[in-house]
Amino acid sequence: MVELRGCDPPKNLDEYRDVFVYVQHKNGKIERGSLEMLGMGRELADKLDEKLVGIMVGSDLSKVAEEAANYNCDTVIGIESPDLKTFSSVPFSHFISETVEDYKPNIFLLSGTREGRDLVSRIAIRCNTGVAADCIELDADKQNRLLIAWRPSFGDKTIDQILCRKHRPQMITSRPGSYKLPEKNRRKEVKIDIRKVKVPDKMKTVRVVEFRPKETLDLTTAKTVVSGGFGLGKPEGFKYVEDLAKELDGVVGASRPVVDLGWIPYDHQVGQTGRTVRPHLYVAAGISGKIQHLVGMKDSEFIVSINTDPDAEIVKYSDFYIHGNLYDALPKLTEEIRKRKSGSKNKV
Amino acid sequence: MALKIVVLIKQVPDAEEIFIDPVKFTLNRSQARGIINPADENAIEAALKIKDETGAEITVLTMGPPAAETALIECMGRGVDKGILITDRVFAAADTWATSLTLAAAFNIMDDFDIIFAGESTTDSGTGHVGPGVAEFLGIDQVTYSVNTKVEGKNVIVERSLEDGIEVVNVPMPVLITTLIGSNMPRRSTLRMKIDALKKGITVMDHEKLKLPPEWVGIKGSPTVVGSLKIPDEKKREGKKYEVEEIPKLVDDLIEKGAIKIGDA
Ligand SMILES: Cc1cc2nc3c(=O)[nH]c(=O)nc-3n(C[C@H](O)[C@H](O)[C@H](O)COP(=O)(O)OP(=O)(O)OC[C@H]3O[C@@H](n4cnc5c(N)ncnc54)[C@H](O)[C@@H]3O)c2cc1C
Ligand SMILES: Nc1ncnc2c1ncn2[C@@H]1O[C@H](COP(=O)(O)O)[C@@H](O)[C@H]1O
C-alpha cells in the first residue's frame, strides 16, 4: 500500500531562512546553469537579507566545493560518499531532502538540467513543498519573504507568475542560459562544510554500466548559430549550412523534422523539444518558423532568414530576410563573407 | 508470468491551436483539439515494444476530464490492454504535487506492476515532475530521459540521453522510466482494435474510489499557485527583404549593424 498524505504546510514560515542552490558538477567542473543560479541566488539573498548556501553531492568534493565557494557563497555544504560518485535519483534526493529538512532554507534554486529536473520533484514531495519549473525570471518580495518566479507556458505564448505562499522552501528550476554568469568573488567568512555520509544498501540499486560520451556541441553558448530546416530537401544540403557556419565561426542548428528524418543528430535541434538558444546571430535557412521552433531562438540578437516563401512566419521574426532558394543564397552569402574577410586582411 | 506495465499519459491541447484572447488576456484552450502528449506517445510505444518482445500486460492511466477517454481508446487501439480514467471535479487545477499524489493513489487499487512509463514532460505545463513525483510516492527507483529500455530477467537496462552522452544503467524492477520525446516511432492504432476497445470500455475512478480527501487534491492540495500572467514583449523586427542578387548589400548591412564582425574591428 502506498502511504498517502496531503501537502501540509509548516506552522512557522519564519523559521525558514537563506537561499540554497544545488551545485551540479562533473569531473571537477561546475555546470554552467548552476553558476547562473549561484549568481541569481546571491541577488535574492541580498534582497532578503539572507545567506547563500551552495549544496553539492559527490564522492570527492574538496576541490569543487572550493570552486563553488568562489561564487559569493556564505556556506558550501557537501554531501560525500564513495557511493555517490555517479548520479542516482534515490540517494541524491534522500540526502538533499534530509539537509533541507534540517537546515530549513527559505528558497531552493536548481538549474533545470536533466539531473536537476530528475531530482527536484522527489525533493519537493519529501519536503512537502511546491516547485515552479523552467523559470526564466526571478525576483523577491522582501516584505513577505516571497520568491516571485516567472515561467513560460504554452510554447512561450504567455509567461506565468508562480508563487508558493504557504510552503517552504520555495523551489524552482531555471531554464539554463536565461541568466547572467556571475563574476568570481570569494567572501572572507565563507564556510565549507563537507559531510561524510553512509549510503544504505537499499539505495544502491541503480548501477551505471556504461557511459558513451557524445561530442558536446554547445548550442546554448554559441555566438552564431546557422540552422537548416526541411527546406533543404535532402541531407546533403547541410554541407552549405556547415560552410556558412564555419565561415562565421558558428555552430550548426536544425529544426525538428530534419532531426526526425535522421539528417542530423538530435543535439543540433533548436526549439521547444530541443535547445533554447540566444546567440548574437541566428540564421534560419529553409525553416518556416512554427511556434515550436520560434520559442527556441526568437530571443537571438539578430535573425536572418532564407526562404522561398515571403509569407513564411519566420520572416516576421527576422531582422533580415533573403527571398530566394537557399541553394543559391547560402553559397553566395558564404562567398561574400569570405571575400570581405580576405579584403580586410589585405588592407592591414 | 507476464510483465505488468503501466503507462501514464495525458491529453493536452494541440499547441498550434491555442490562442490568447486579446481582450481578456486569457488563454483560449477550449477550442484546441486534444492530442496525446507527444512524449507520452513514446512512452506507450516503449511499453508496446516490450510487449512485442517478452509479452506484457499494459494499462494506460490518465487523470483528466471525461473527454480524455478518447486518448485511452486510441492507446488500446494500438495494443494496450486496459484504460483507466481518473476524473473528478475536485482534481481540477492540480499542480504537479497534487497530480503525482492522485496518480499514485490509483496504484493502491491496481494490481502490482513491474514498470511504469511516463513521458519526459508535457507540452502544456512542461515540468517533467509528474513521473518522478509518482516514483517518490511509490518509493521506487526512477530512470529519466530514456531512449531505449530492455528487460533482462528481473532488471531493466535503460539508455538515458544526457546533455553530454548516453548513460546506460541497470536497475531492478519495479521502476519508473520516463521517455525522451522522439525516442521511437509510435505505431498507429487499427480501427478494428479501437472498436474492440470501445466494446471493452475503460475503468473510471473518482476521489472517493481513490480514498483521497478533496482538500489533498486539485487546486486545494497544490502548494503552488499561478499569480498573474503576462504576454512576453516581442522584439520588433523589420524583416528587411533582400533578393539573392542583393546579398553583397545585405552583408554590408549586417556589418554596419554589428550582426557580423569582419577582422578584429
Ligand atoms: C510537441 C511538439 C514539439 C515540437 N518541437 C519542435 C522543436 O523543438 N523544434 C522544431 O524545429 N520543431 C518542433 N516541432 C515541429 C514544428 O511544429 C514544425 O513542424 C517544424 O518546426 C517545421 O520545421 P521546418 O520549418 O524545418 O519545416 P517546414 O515547416 O516544412 O518549413 C520548410 C520551409 O522551407 C521553405 N523552403 C522550401 N524549399 C526551400 C528552398 N529551396 N530554399 C529556401 N526555402 C525553402 C519553405 O517555404 C518552408 O517555409 C514540434 C512539434 C510538436 C507538435
Ligand atoms: N494528468 C496526468 N495523467 C496521467 N499522467 C500524467 C498527467 N500529467 C502528467 N502525466 C505524466 O507525467 C509526465 C510528465 O508530465 P509533466 O510533469 O506535466 O511535464 C507526462 O509525460 C505523463 O506521462
Side-chain angles (χ1 to χ4, degrees), chain A residues 136-234:
Chain A
I136 53 169
E137 235 183 276
L138 298 172
D139 200 359
D141 164 3
K142 175 150 198 208
Q143 205 178 359
N144 300 304
R145 300 186 45 247
L146 206 57
L147 176 67
I148 300 168
W150 294 94
R151 68 178 303 254
S153 67
F154 298 107
D156 286 12
K157 283 183 184 167
T158 63
I159 302 178
D160 294 340
Q161 185 190 61
I162 310 286
L163 303 172
C164 182
R165 290 184 195 278
K166 295 188 191 130
H167 298 75
R168 295 292 179 272
Q170 306 171 73
M171 295 183 74
I172 66 106
T173 58
S174 65
R175 182 181 283 193
S178 303
Y179 306 80
K180 280 199 306 273
L181 277 177
E183 306 271 329
K184 273 195 188 184
N185 176 45
R186 197 176 173 99
R187 310 202 138 199
K188 262 199 248 109
E189 62 288 15
V190 56
K191 190 171 118 200
I192 296 178
D193 171 7
I194 309 258
R195 306 172 179 183
K196 300 237 189 275
V197 296
K198 194 168 161 8
V199 181
D201 283 342
K202 66 174 195 315
M203 291 189 191
K204 293 186 205 162
T205 45
V206 178
R207 231 169 8 99
V208 176
V209 289
E210 193 189 340
F211 185 75
R212 299 198 292 269
K214 51 188 173 199
E215 206 187 309
T216 48
L217 161 89
D218 204 356
L219 272 180
T220 46
T221 52
K223 293 237 161 41
T224 301
V225 177
V226 183
S227 289
F230 194 61
L232 288 170
K234 51 180 190 265

Side-chain angles (χ1 to χ4, degrees), chain A residues 2 114 118 121-122 126 151 157 159 161 205 207 209-210 212 280 298 300 318-319 321 323 340, chain B residues 18 108 125 129 136 140-142 144 161 164 166 168 170 225 227 230 235 237 239-240 242 252 258:
Chain A
V2 184
R114 297 209 161 157
D118 181 300
S121 175
R122 295 193 84 125
R126 250 179 229 217
R151 68 178 303 254
K157 283 183 184 167
I159 302 178
Q161 185 190 61
T205 45
R207 231 169 8 99
V209 289
E210 193 189 340
R212 299 198 292 269
H280 184 71
K298 68 177 170 42
S300 307
S318 306
D319 303 287
Y321 160 55
H323 174 227
R340 304 297 171 100
Chain B
I18 295 169
N108 279 340
S125 64
H129 293 171
E136 176 62 31
I140 59 170
D141 276 319
Q142 74 191 37
T144 50
S161 171
D164 58 348
I166 301 281
V168 186
N170 182 323
V225 292
K230 62 183 180 188
K235 200 171 152 182
R237 310 246 184 202
K240 193 164 175 210
Y242 300 81
D252 287 340

Side-chain angles (χ1 to χ4, degrees), chain B residues 7-11 37 39-40 43 61-64 96 99 103 117-132 134 178-179:
Chain B
V7 188
L8 307 178
I9 68 157
K10 186 179 181 189
Q11 198 175 44
N37 177 50
D40 303 354
L61 174 64
T62 190
M63 174 182 97
T96 53
T99 304
L103 292 170
F117 279 108
E120 67 167 277
S121 66
T122 52
T123 50
D124 63 342
S125 64
T127 67
H129 293 171
V130 171
V134 170
T178 73
T179 53

